[in-house]
Amino acid sequence: MFETRRSNHKEKVIITAALTGAVTTKNDNPALPTQPDEIVESAWKCYEAGAATVHIHVRNEDDTASMRFDRFEEIVTKLRDQKFPGIINLTSSGGQGFSWDERIKPFKELKPEMASFDAGTMNWLNTVVFMNEPGFLEKCGEVMQEVNVKPEIEVFDMGMLNTAKYYLKKGIIQGPAHFQLCLGAPGGMEATTENLVYLVNHLPEDCTWSTFGIGRGANEILLSGIAMGGNVRVGLEDNVYYNKGVLAESNEQFVARVVRLVKEMGKEPATPEEAREILGV
Ligand code: ZN
């Protein structure tokens, strides 16, 4: 039975827009923003549509996955110069083969309010190893505390949730924790309501959480997440299709749909200020 006591903000839903990611390309969906100006524009459109947080990856000029600091710096500086009101969340993964320093430097130097923290290693999409070894996670947690960046703890399965709880206990991650329950990535747990309920029931007492589904189960997770009192993430990083066989027109199209769903369910999308209060950033 799902326990709702962990949701202390049931009437507000923090919508995160995951704009770009590391995997999808303009071949998958031409609307994917990959260059700094496209990403900045997409962030604004998502904010205007109702997102409180934007989760940011960068790409090279040829759109390939990247953790280049100058690209992060360009985007974050533009958003700050333009007084972007939303919460900026930078990735700490961003693709394959990047060094610890390359993965840590963007959040260490640019000090966004949040950055992702992937709580374990997995066989990513049954093709490559998504490396998040213990030493890296310890370093990440340490630097995040040092520069006061809140980890968005991404878990793809129950093992990662247990790992995150271990790091919370050890003080490597400072609570109250914020979890992103990522379902439907091949190699992780399937995007089903059953799995979402299971993960939520094993979260620490004092935390906030958000969720999203990749692929087939995306809409199910979206609806279940809102119904269960969670926060949700949407965007072209996770899904290039809006519905089965229908390509999404833009990131903000996903955000606009969540806003409608949230309101229909008698809730409200959290403003960035409300999200900051809920997340403690
Ligand atoms: Zn990401």
Side-chain angles (χ1 to χ4, degrees), residues 47 84 124 128:
Y47 160 71
F84 181 70
W124 183 252
V128 288

Side-chain angles (χ1 to χ4, degrees), residues 26-75:
K26 282 187 193 284
N27 287 334
D28 301 314
N29 187 326
L32 185 78
T34 56
Q35 298 305 305
D37 285 336
E38 294 174 341
I39 292 169
V40 168
E41 189 190 349
S42 187
W44 272 102
K45 286 186 170 160
C46 287
Y47 160 71
E48 282 156 7
T53 301
V54 288
H55 170 68
I56 291 174
H57 285 245
V58 300
R59 300 290 180 92
N60 294 310
E61 285 81 357
D62 65 359
D63 291 350
T64 51
S66 175
M67 280 303 287
R68 262 170 56 193
F69 180 74
D70 63 313
R71 305 291 264 182
F72 280 104
E73 189 178 34
E74 182 179 349
I75 292 165

Side-chain angles (χ1 to χ4, degrees), residues 67-142:
M67 280 303 287
R68 262 170 56 193
F69 180 74
D70 63 313
R71 305 291 264 182
F72 280 104
E73 189 178 34
E74 182 179 349
I75 292 165
V76 172
T77 303
K78 279 185 173 153
L79 287 171
R80 285 180 176 158
D81 286 350
Q82 295 167 5
K83 308 249 180 297
F84 181 70
I87 295 172
I88 296 175
N89 169 328
L90 300 184
T91 186
S92 65
S93 46
Q96 287 303 307
F98 300 114
S99 69
W100 291 11
D101 281 348
E102 284 173 299
R103 295 177 62 179
I104 288 171
K105 189 177 177 186
F107 72 77
K108 185 179 180 182
E109 301 291 324
L110 298 169
K111 300 180 181 59
E113 287 168 287
M114 301 184 85
S116 58
F117 179 102
D118 291 282
T121 297
M122 66 187 280
N123 283 353
W124 183 252
L125 311 181
N126 301 313
T127 52
V128 288
V129 179
F130 180 25
M131 278 297 286
N132 293 292
E133 64 268 56
F136 173 70
L137 293 179
E138 284 164 26
K139 184 80 191 159
C140 243
E142 184 189 304

Side-chain angles (χ1 to χ4, degrees), residues 136-233:
F136 173 70
L137 293 179
E138 284 164 26
K139 184 80 191 159
C140 243
E142 184 189 304
V143 177
M144 283 179 176
Q145 288 193 46
E146 190 184 297
V147 296
N148 196 27
V149 169
K150 176 141 183 162
E152 175 212 18
I153 306 167
E154 295 190 336
V155 306
F156 291 79
D157 61 31
M158 189 60 204
M160 288 197 203
L161 178 49
N162 283 333
T163 302
K165 283 157 94 169
Y166 168 80
Y167 285 135
L168 278 161
K169 205 168 94 188
K170 291 279 176 193
I172 288 162
I173 308 172
Q174 218 38 267
H178 180 65
F179 287 88
Q180 188 68 260
L181 307 174
C182 319
L183 296 170
M189 282 167 96
E190 275 184 275
T192 64
T193 300
E194 185 186 13
N195 284 342
L196 180 61
V197 170
Y198 184 76
L199 288 174
V200 170
N201 277 337
H202 288 83
L203 287 170
E205 288 294 319
D206 178 24
C207 76
T208 50
W209 63 277
S210 174
T211 189
F212 68 89
I214 296 170
R216 221 179 18 225
N219 288 345
E220 177 178 337
I221 296 301
L222 187 62
L223 289 167
S224 298
I226 301 168
M228 287 163 66
N231 304 289
V232 289
R233 166 170 137 174

